[in-house]
Amino acid sequence: MRKVLMILAFASASVATMAQEEPTLKHSVATNSFWSNWFIQAGANWNVWYAGGDAEHGNGLPASPFEDFRSNPGVALSLGKWFTPGMGLRVKGQGLWGRIVRASYGQKTTQPYSKGFKYWILNGQAMFNLSNMLCGYNEKRVFNVIPFAGAGIGRTMTHNLYAMDLSAGLQLQFRVAKHLAIHVEAGWNRLENDIDGGYDYYGDRGWESHTNNVYAELGLTFNLGKSTWNKVPDVDAIKANYNDAINNLKSQLDDLNNENARLQKMLRDAQNKKPEVTVMTESIRDFVTHPISVFFDLGKINVANLKDLVNVKGLAKYAVANNSKLLVIGYADSSTGTPEINARLSKERAQTVTNELIKLGVNPNNIRQDYKGGVTELGVDSPVSFDRRATVQITDEE
């Protein structure tokens, strides 16, 4: 039994050191409200008493916790709260029946008699979830190791006396449901001699100078309300997403500005263009054989500006009237995306323009498609956005 007490004492000393260390977590968790992470524990125990003074010392009494003169069953009830995944507090009450060894002062005997008494012990205890502190918080973890230590007061109703005490122990929890766990607990209460009636004080001999209560408990733990912990938002990830969104908006704004510049240039050219002196049919022929561009946004296959389809409609009308052959070519800019992505984008952009032509009445058999992938078709002096396009033109090829 002394070995058991030494192990419990070592566990309580280790807990005091571990409480000062920074918990090692897989991720940080947010602090819950005051009303979260409460729990109630109820259990039955087998409690064993070792008296202080002459009742024990020098008598060579059996230390087995199953001796009739030492042990009795008992009950326990606790209320507590976890303030972090690794640290919590509880108030625990236990007691009802106990047995204390009795021997006359100075008597040396191996045949003691015991006396039953009624008592209760009330402790405030700090609890440390080593599983969360050492391995990181995991709400799906089934098994938790929880040492505890504290202090409190005890009272014997039989003798109407009070005694201060220190307590320590180890609890193992096995989660069986979200709000329910089975716990197994071993603990030690070191009380002043008053708890057994104040008899047989023997002087300062360590644990033998006090009355000691050792118990083993089996019970249930009920979690009240919210019993889990939320992750702290990843600020770096949020910033990265925010920057990506800003960069995307800037890219779209640049594309709009470039498109606006292109349209303004086209307007100026149209205003400054001199009247044609050639035959009208030749002007129309030059127009329809010149490639018409339809532009797209970065990474998109939908037409960026429906104004681009105005010329496509004119070309389609001409092609239907003359049963002309059309060539549609898709492009992507080579400065963004991988070759595989650009190949797919250019192919789908060509298909988008083809679909528009078919809607306008062009015979699908008169349309031939091609795609170039990522290019710098318009040269390094032109905006990158100009390469995100598809062209359509009259062709003599079959």
Side-chain angles (χ1 to χ4, degrees), residues 14-214:
S14 300
V15 166
T17 303
M18 198 168 301
Q20 301 175 11
E21 296 179 357
E22 182 70 16
T24 303
L25 298 175
K26 295 177 181 177
H27 56 75
S28 298
V29 296
T31 302
N32 286 341
S33 70
F34 176 80
W35 304 109
S36 300
N37 304 101
W38 286 84
F39 62 88
I40 293 176
Q41 295 180 321
N45 58 48
W46 189 254
N47 63 94
V48 183
W49 292 84
Y50 294 88
D54 280 345
E56 290 280 356
H57 187 72
N59 284 298
L61 302 179
S64 170
F66 301 105
E67 295 291 341
D68 291 340
F69 62 86
R70 292 192 183 283
S71 57
N72 254 342
V75 295
L77 185 65
S78 304
L79 174 65
K81 171 179 169 59
W82 291 102
F83 292 93
T84 71
M87 187 179 74
L89 297 174
R90 74 172 179 180
V91 176
K92 177 175 183 176
Q94 62 188 97
L96 286 189
W97 308 282
R99 288 184 180 275
I100 285 294
V101 178
R102 283 286 176 255
S104 300
Y105 181 80
Q107 179 181 0
K108 310 298 181 184
T109 177
T110 58
Q111 300 296 325
Y113 70 93
S114 63
K115 185 175 182 180
F117 69 103
K118 293 182 177 181
Y119 74 99
W120 54 257
I121 300 173
L122 187 66
N123 280 311
Q125 296 168 333
M127 305 182 72
F128 303 88
N129 190 321
L130 293 186
S131 300
N132 285 338
M133 294 175 72
L134 299 179
C135 302
Y137 169 67
N138 182 354
E139 66 179 68
K140 296 183 179 180
R141 180 176 288 118
V142 175
F143 178 72
N144 288 282
V145 179
I146 307 172
F148 59 86
I153 189 172
R155 178 177 182 264
T156 167
M157 287 83 80
T158 302
H159 304 290
N160 194 27
L161 294 172
Y162 292 85
M164 303 301 294
D165 83 295
L166 300 175
S167 63
L170 180 67
Q171 183 179 105
L172 306 179
Q173 279 192 14
F174 303 85
R175 184 173 63 89
V176 296
K178 182 177 180 180
H179 294 282
L180 178 65
I182 297 173
H183 70 260
V184 178
E185 180 174 313
W188 169 39
N189 296 304
R190 181 179 185 269
L191 301 107
E192 300 298 330
N193 280 7
D194 305 71
I195 194 70
D196 62 358
Y199 303 113
D200 302 325
Y201 181 75
Y202 188 74
D204 187 9
R205 287 185 175 271
W207 79 282
E208 289 186 350
S209 67
H210 291 72
T211 299
N212 296 272
N213 168 253
V214 181

Side-chain angles (χ1 to χ4, degrees), residues 79-390:
L79 174 65
K81 171 179 169 59
W82 291 102
F83 292 93
T84 71
M87 187 179 74
L89 297 174
R90 74 172 179 180
V91 176
K92 177 175 183 176
Q94 62 188 97
L96 286 189
W97 308 282
R99 288 184 180 275
I100 285 294
V101 178
R102 283 286 176 255
S104 300
Y105 181 80
Q107 179 181 0
K108 310 298 181 184
T109 177
T110 58
Q111 300 296 325
Y113 70 93
S114 63
K115 185 175 182 180
F117 69 103
K118 293 182 177 181
Y119 74 99
W120 54 257
I121 300 173
L122 187 66
N123 280 311
Q125 296 168 333
M127 305 182 72
F128 303 88
N129 190 321
L130 293 186
S131 300
N132 285 338
M133 294 175 72
L134 299 179
C135 302
Y137 169 67
N138 182 354
E139 66 179 68
K140 296 183 179 180
R141 180 176 288 118
V142 175
F143 178 72
N144 288 282
V145 179
I146 307 172
F148 59 86
I153 189 172
R155 178 177 182 264
T156 167
M157 287 83 80
T158 302
H159 304 290
N160 194 27
L161 294 172
Y162 292 85
M164 303 301 294
D165 83 295
L166 300 175
S167 63
L170 180 67
Q171 183 179 105
L172 306 179
Q173 279 192 14
F174 303 85
R175 184 173 63 89
V176 296
K178 182 177 180 180
H179 294 282
L180 178 65
I182 297 173
H183 70 260
V184 178
E185 180 174 313
W188 169 39
N189 296 304
R190 181 179 185 269
L191 301 107
E192 300 298 330
N193 280 7
D194 305 71
I195 194 70
D196 62 358
Y199 303 113
D200 302 325
Y201 181 75
Y202 188 74
D204 187 9
R205 287 185 175 271
W207 79 282
E208 289 186 350
S209 67
H210 291 72
T211 299
N212 296 272
N213 168 253
V214 181
Y215 66 90
E217 177 180 313
L218 176 65
L220 297 175
T221 298
F222 302 91
N223 296 312
L224 306 178
K226 181 178 175 62
S227 59
T228 56
W229 303 83
N230 297 328
K231 292 183 179 180
V232 172
D234 190 335
V235 178
D236 292 336
I238 293 175
K239 287 182 178 179
N241 291 336
Y242 175 79
N243 290 333
D244 288 344
I246 291 296
N247 291 334
N248 188 41
L249 289 174
K250 287 181 178 179
S251 177
Q252 293 181 20
L253 181 60
D254 290 341
D255 290 347
L256 291 175
N257 289 333
N258 293 332
E259 176 66 10
N260 183 55
R262 183 180 71 87
L263 294 175
Q264 288 180 351
K265 183 177 183 301
M266 291 176 62
L267 179 60
R268 288 194 301 270
D269 292 344
Q271 291 173 343
N272 297 329
K273 189 174 182 180
K274 294 181 179 181
E276 296 287 346
V277 295
T278 57
V279 180
M280 182 62 67
T281 56
E282 290 299 323
S283 299
I284 294 175
R285 183 66 180 174
D286 290 342
F287 171 74
V288 298
T289 56
H290 185 77
I292 295 174
S293 294
V294 178
F295 293 92
F296 298 83
D297 289 331
L298 176 66
K300 304 296 184 181
I301 61 172
N302 298 323
V303 178
N305 194 332
L306 296 180
K307 293 180 180 179
D308 291 347
L309 296 179
V310 173
N311 291 334
V312 173
K313 291 179 181 178
L315 183 61
K317 185 176 180 180
Y318 178 89
V320 171
N322 296 276
N323 196 31
S324 301
K325 304 292 184 181
L326 298 178
L327 173 62
V328 180
I329 305 176
Y331 302 89
D333 71 272
S334 60
S335 62
T336 60
T338 63
E340 293 78 9
I341 292 176
N342 288 333
R344 176 181 58 81
L345 282 174
S346 63
K347 183 176 181 180
E348 293 181 354
R349 286 168 179 171
Q351 185 62 50
T352 297
V353 175
T354 298
N355 293 340
E356 293 295 331
L357 291 170
I358 294 173
K359 291 178 184 177
L360 294 170
V362 178
N363 186 343
N365 294 327
N366 289 341
I367 302 174
R368 185 169 67 86
Q369 291 186 49
D370 194 7
Y371 60 95
K372 302 297 184 180
V375 300
T376 53
E377 186 75 13
L378 299 179
V380 295
D381 295 331
S382 299
V384 172
S385 60
F386 284 13
D387 288 319
R388 303 167 194 151
R389 63 175 180 150

